[in-house]
Amino acid sequence: PTRGVTSLALPALERIGASVVMVRIPASDSFADSAAMGRAIDESLSIGSTPSSILNEVKSLREWLKVGLMAVASVSTAARLGDADRFAGMLSASGFDGVVYADLPFESSVEWLKSAENAGLLSTLILTPATAPKRAEAMLKECRGCVWIAAEATRSLPNVSGMVKKLREMTDLPVLVSGAISSASHVRS
């Protein structure tokens, strides 16, 4: 990653048909991410990317983009930039449509999700194939805009299709699946 790549990548992703793009807000506390994401964030930070630089890039081209933009951030980064309300306001002013906090435990989510809603942002919580059904049901009630399942292809991807089916029975929200998807068989799963 290099500075300015967001300004190139977002229009390109829209041109090839993306309807929603998750934009990671770089932070030095990438403990909630995969090893690959952690390396990418470290590289991004080492060449000068900052939360403010990403917000500014998004803001500079938002009026020309139709694609939905979800910020993926850490609570600690948001807290360093202010409180939940201030950070949600910054995302909204930059043109983001929604936010997901990669390290936000469900039990601590009320303030952060309410701030997002007050700023006009959609928000979601991260579920995994290991999320217990009752917990998933409670989490779904707090999601606005979409549901996100984070799966690892080698371990949990085979369980995702069943989870997606169950979630679709509980909500009309779109279900996004992310993870280490690297083959045609993973996509079919």
Side-chain angles (χ1 to χ4, degrees):
T2 59
R3 282 186 88 170
V5 75
T6 303
S7 296
L8 299 172
L10 292 178
L13 290 166
E14 183 175 84
R15 280 193 303 276
I16 63 170
S19 56
V20 176
V21 177
M22 307 298 247
V23 178
R24 184 62 161 100
I25 306 298
S28 59
D29 53 357
S30 57
F31 64 88
D33 297 295
S34 67
M37 182 62 76
R39 286 189 301 275
I41 290 169
D42 289 345
E43 184 177 338
S44 178
L45 291 168
S46 74
I47 53 97
S49 291
T50 66
S52 294
S53 71
I54 298 300
L55 296 177
N56 288 334
E57 281 187 72
V58 167
K59 186 175 185 174
S60 74
L61 48 90
R62 183 63 223 195
E63 71 180 274
W64 296 284
L65 291 175
K66 294 183 180 111
V67 67
L69 298 175
M70 289 286 288
V72 181
S74 71
V75 170
S76 55
T77 299
R80 278 195 304 275
L81 295 172
D83 59 15
D85 290 333
R86 183 168 186 264
F87 186 70
M90 291 168 66
L91 292 175
S92 181
S94 295
F96 281 94
D97 300 297
V99 62
V100 59
Y101 293 101
D103 58 348
L104 180 62
F106 174 54
E107 295 75 15
S108 305
S109 65
V110 172
E111 172 191 5
W112 294 93
L113 299 179
K114 190 66 172 165
S115 292
E117 185 176 357
N118 290 342
L121 298 171
L122 301 172
S123 59
T124 192
L125 296 164
I126 300 174
L127 290 85
T128 72
T131 303
K134 285 189 182 230
R135 183 177 177 86
E137 188 174 352
M139 292 172 77
L140 284 175
K141 291 177 183 173
E142 302 304 323
C143 293
R144 305 288 182 269
C146 66
V147 178
W148 183 2
I149 303 172
E152 184 178 333
T154 56
R155 284 190 256 169
S156 58
L157 195 57
N159 302 323
V160 169
S161 59
M163 184 176 191
V164 169
K165 184 178 179 183
K166 287 178 186 173
L167 291 175
R168 287 191 171 144
E169 291 170 1
M170 294 189 275
T171 183
D172 291 331
L173 294 173
V175 178
L176 309 176
V177 178
S178 68
I181 299 172
S182 61
S183 71
S185 67
H186 292 158
V187 172
R188 283 190 294 276
S189 292

